Amino acid sequence: EAVTGAQLIAEALRAQNVEYMFGVVGIPVIEIATAAQAAGIKYVGMRNEQAACYAASAVGYLTGRPGVCLVVSGPGFLHALGGMANATINCWPLIVIGGSSDRNQETMGAFQEFPQVEAGRLYNKLSVRPSSLEVIPAVIEKAVRTSIYGRPGSCYIDIPGDFVNLQVNKSSVKYVECCLPPPISMAEHSAVSKAASVIALSKQPLLIIGKGAAYSHAENNIRRLVDLCGLPFLPTPMAKGVVPDTHPNCVAAARSMALQHADVIILLGARLNWILHFGLPPRFRQDVKVIQIDICAEELGNNVRPSAILLGDINAVTKQLLEEFRKISLKYPSDSEWWKRLREKIKDNEERSKVLALQKSLPMNYYTVFHHIRELIPKDCILVNEGANTMDIGRTMLPNYYPCQRLDAGTFGTMGVGLGFAIAAAMVAKDRTPGKRVVCIEGDSAFGFSGMEVETICRYNLPILIIVVNNNGIYTGLDASAWKEMLKFGNPATCVPPVSLLPNSHYEQIMSAFGGKGYFVRTPEELQNALKASVTDKQTPALINVMIDPQSERKKQEFPWLTRSNL
């Protein structure tokens, strides 16, 4: 019995429990998408390879099984590089399958010819081309396995155009079974007891939870650790919700102070990169003791020499620490001087946010907008959030109660991920948690990267709520009258500030163009009404375009997560 390359690819992916494929089809990969659907894989046709690749990577983070991004040769492949890099830097599993020129035309200047395997090596854990149809299932198994074993990341498979419709006899194909689940490793016992004794002696401990902890489903053990030991904790942006943000031990609202004064820091699947200011002074104490827990040996000891290194799966190692603390029964006192200082700072910062949130002036500021969003969106929704100020303030103002339910620009600080992430989250939610909403909160600039994916959302009828927080620009913008004045000086290309976008752009009309519901709002009342209507209608995609003060910014560096220079 004969089988085509396209069928082999689709069946091998299905055999490895791959459920979702996103892409933009064309010659030579159309048949691969058709075969994938026939094999029971859900195919989502996107409008740009970049968004398709972001979507596939988010599936990997949300489910622990890579999504697939399918692209054509040359430019199609190149447009997906952003998603590959973003996945690898975020440590999310992803498979990209790219068509490439026919083998017999190599070096001849074939249609869209490009050295894709070599180019892919920079962005992926594995970049390979199967040497024959017979080995396709084995190559796909290796790619899926590589993407999820150890530190997760992206893998690229190059498929020559002539492979797609080429046929081979089934009997000569090297079929392989589904790869085993990733092995779970534990830290050495001596490292665990060393860590426990360092923590026991600390006066000002701080637990930092990273998205590695969310990915490893460590939430139950981490909550137990926080409760058992009474430790203050700080989540990195995408780790929000591993322990609910509303937990009394969450010190996110006193972030700078907690980092600056902690004498012992326990890193649970978080890296000492720019997001945590590299663990160095002046943001940290010179003599801070770091206990590092990570799945990747090469990460241990980066930037700061640790006091204890625990190599292993976050969930398994947390369990080891729990067992150790049950033996020595450590309970950090809640009436300590450290807790008193932290609570004072939290109260102070929350008061200041509240004052800004309750301002009645129009146009609204960010804090007012987020205050109303927080009051009205479902507690268990998946939050996708990107932009400059929109993401920074959204992170502090919108609580997460469950793990893996905040998706943002991530370690790579990638703008333009929002709609791809939202589509992925909605596809996964539809299958696994029907009724769970996806709320995608975008800056107007961030929305522009992949705004046309609104058509994809409407085509697949995904009830995503997009909220565009519109300040007419990147960081800041101009209002309509200032814009008009500016144009009097001549050509906009020579006189308009580079951060400006067109004032009062009606982004909501993009949604209504494709049959979803669009709302244009300027006041808190209009915002509340639009939110209530969108949350109540669980069937229809919606976009709320919220006009805010073009000069609204975050309050001066109480939450100095990103300074301008970092964006």
Side-chain angles (χ1 to χ4, degrees):
E1 191 191 346
V3 59
T4 67
Q7 286 170 301
L8 279 173
I9 293 164
E11 285 160 17
L13 288 169
R14 197 67 204 100
Q16 299 302 322
N17 286 335
V18 166
E19 292 179 69
Y20 304 93
M21 183 183 275
F22 303 82
V24 181
V25 293
I27 295 166
V29 300
I30 298 175
E31 291 86 348
I32 298 175
T34 310
Q37 286 179 318
I41 293 171
K42 296 184 172 77
Y43 175 79
V44 177
M46 306 281 284
R47 302 306 301 266
N48 183 305
E49 290 89 358
Q50 206 178 12
C53 207
Y54 294 144
S57 70
V59 162
Y61 175 61
L62 294 169
T63 68
R65 209 78 194 159
V68 174
C69 174
L70 178 70
V71 296
V72 300
S73 39
F77 163 82
L78 289 168
H79 289 163
L81 290 178
M84 296 180 212
N86 192 61
T88 298
I89 287 169
N90 272 336
C91 314
W92 292 357
L94 165 70
I95 302 288
V96 179
I97 295 178
S100 57
S101 27
D102 293 5
R103 288 170 303 165
N104 64 356
Q105 296 174 356
E106 261 177 39
T107 74
M108 293 172 68
F111 175 65
Q112 297 186 334
E113 184 178 345
F114 193 77
Q116 293 172 195
V117 177
E118 294 91 310
R121 284 201 185 105
L122 262 181
Y123 308 87
N124 295 278
K125 288 178 78 177
L126 179 74
S127 185
V128 289
R129 167 192 273 200
S131 55
S132 67
L133 257 56
E134 286 82 352
V135 299
I136 283 174
V139 167
I140 285 176
E141 185 273 345
K142 183 180 170 83
V144 170
R145 178 163 40 86
T146 304
S147 78
I148 57 176
Y149 274 37
R151 173 186 266 179
S154 176
C155 292
Y156 173 66
I157 305 169
D158 196 63
I159 303 290
D162 53 312
F163 271 22
V164 176
N165 291 316
L166 196 63
Q167 295 195 335
V168 64
N169 200 314
K170 264 192 165 169
S171 59
S172 62
V173 175
K174 189 182 167 195
Y175 284 103
V176 290
E177 286 180 60
C178 185
C179 64
L180 293 165
I184 290 174
S185 51
M186 289 165 132
E188 44 197 333
H189 187 72
S190 58
V192 177
S193 41
K194 170 89 198 283
S197 62
V198 172
I199 297 166
L201 292 170
S202 69
K203 298 272 180 285
Q204 298 180 175
L206 178 65
L207 188 62
I208 299 180
I209 305 169
K211 64 176 171 295
Y215 182 80
S216 78
H217 298 291
E219 57 273 6
N220 292 337
N221 282 322
I222 293 176
R223 285 176 198 186
R224 282 187 197 113
L225 185 70
V226 167
D227 292 334
L228 179 75
C229 302
L231 297 169
F233 74 89
L234 177 72
T236 63
M238 277 199 261
K240 279 162 57 72
V242 169
V243 184
D245 286 337
T246 46
H247 190 288
N249 289 33
C250 179
V251 295
R255 182 178 186 275
S256 296
M257 194 191 118
L259 294 178
Q260 211 166 4
H261 297 290
D263 61 355
V264 172
I265 281 177
I266 305 120
L267 288 173
L268 278 170
R271 294 173 277 182
L272 289 179
N273 54 23
W274 66 277
I275 290 180
L276 290 173
H277 317 289
F278 315 106
L280 298 173
R283 297 299 203 138
F284 288 77
R285 283 167 57 148
Q286 186 76 53
D287 61 351
V288 67
K289 291 191 164 85
V290 172
I291 291 159
Q292 206 171 356
I293 307 166
D294 208 281
I295 197 165
C296 174
E298 289 82 352
E299 187 59 45
L300 300 167
N302 276 345
N303 300 325
V304 174
R305 183 184 167 88
S307 300
I309 51 179
L310 288 73
L311 174 66
D313 173 81
I314 303 296
N315 191 33
V317 176
T318 306
K319 202 172 173 187
Q320 287 179 283
L321 278 171
L322 264 175
E323 281 158 13
E324 197 67 21
F325 285 136
R326 287 205 174 105
K327 276 184 236 163
I328 61 169
S329 77
L330 165 84
K331 180 80 176 175
Y332 187 71
S334 59
D335 58 353
S336 66
E337 194 52 39
W338 178 228
W339 261 124
K340 274 187 201 136
R341 286 169 64 198
L342 287 169
R343 286 199 191 101
E344 268 167 35
K345 190 70 183 158
I346 288 169
K347 199 168 167 234
D348 183 43
N349 280 343
E350 283 176 348
E351 291 295 316
R352 291 162 82 167
S353 286
K354 210 181 228 168
V355 169
L356 287 164
L358 298 175
Q359 275 182 4
K360 290 279 185 276
S361 55
L362 289 178
M364 295 181 280
N365 68 40
Y366 283 103
Y367 293 86
T368 310
V369 170
F370 281 119
H371 169 74
H372 293 296
I373 292 173
R374 181 175 66 201
E375 299 298 300
L376 292 168
I377 58 173
K379 271 195 161 147
D380 68 342
C381 71
I382 298 172
L383 276 175
V384 181
N385 186 201
E386 66 165 339
N389 297 326
T390 302
M391 184 170 71
D392 294 348
I393 300 167
R395 188 190 59 254
T396 61
M397 294 280 296
L398 300 172
N400 285 82
Y401 303 89
Y402 303 96
C404 294
Q405 292 196 184
R406 178 184 167 84
L407 298 168
D408 66 19
T411 310
F412 206 27
T414 308
M415 287 297 136
V417 291
L419 276 76
F421 283 2
I423 289 168
M427 289 296 293
V428 171
K430 209 180 214 180
D431 292 341
R432 303 194 171 201
T433 47
K436 189 183 288 272
R437 293 301 293 272
V438 176
V439 179
C440 178
I441 305 172
E442 301 272 304
D444 50 333
S445 161
F447 177 73
F449 284 84
S450 290
M452 198 44 80
E453 298 303 336
V454 167
E455 186 273 328
T456 312
I457 290 170
C458 292
R459 184 169 9 116
Y460 292 97
N461 199 24
L462 302 170
I464 295 167
L465 167 57
I466 300 171
I467 301 169
V468 177
V469 184
N470 190 346
N471 69 343
N472 304 338
I474 304 171
Y475 305 120
T476 57
L478 300 171
D479 60 26
S481 58
W483 177 263
K484 230 173 167 172
E485 282 303 301
M486 195 72 73
L487 294 184
K488 288 181 184 163
F489 294 111
N491 181 344
T494 56
C495 61
V496 164
V499 292
S500 296
L501 296 170
L502 190 68
N504 302 330
S505 293
H506 282 268
Y507 297 113
E508 78 288 349
Q509 291 180 7
I510 298 177
M511 181 60 88
S512 36
F514 299 117
K517 291 208 171 118
Y519 302 88
F520 183 77
V521 309
R522 292 175 184 273
T523 66
E525 296 68 47
E526 290 170 351
L527 175 58
Q528 287 171 319
N529 293 337
L531 282 165
K532 283 175 189 158
S534 307
V535 170
T536 313
D537 182 348
K538 295 179 172 59
Q539 262 63 57
T540 319
L543 192 156
I544 304 174
N545 183 12
V546 189
M547 299 310 300
I548 64 162
D549 180 353
Q551 296 299 314
S552 174
E553 288 192 73
R554 64 179 179 279
K555 57 191 167 77
K556 295 292 170 259
Q557 291 310 317
E558 267 85 54
F559 302 98
W561 195 273
L562 295 171
T563 49
R564 287 284 173 91
S565 60
N566 280 341
L567 269 166

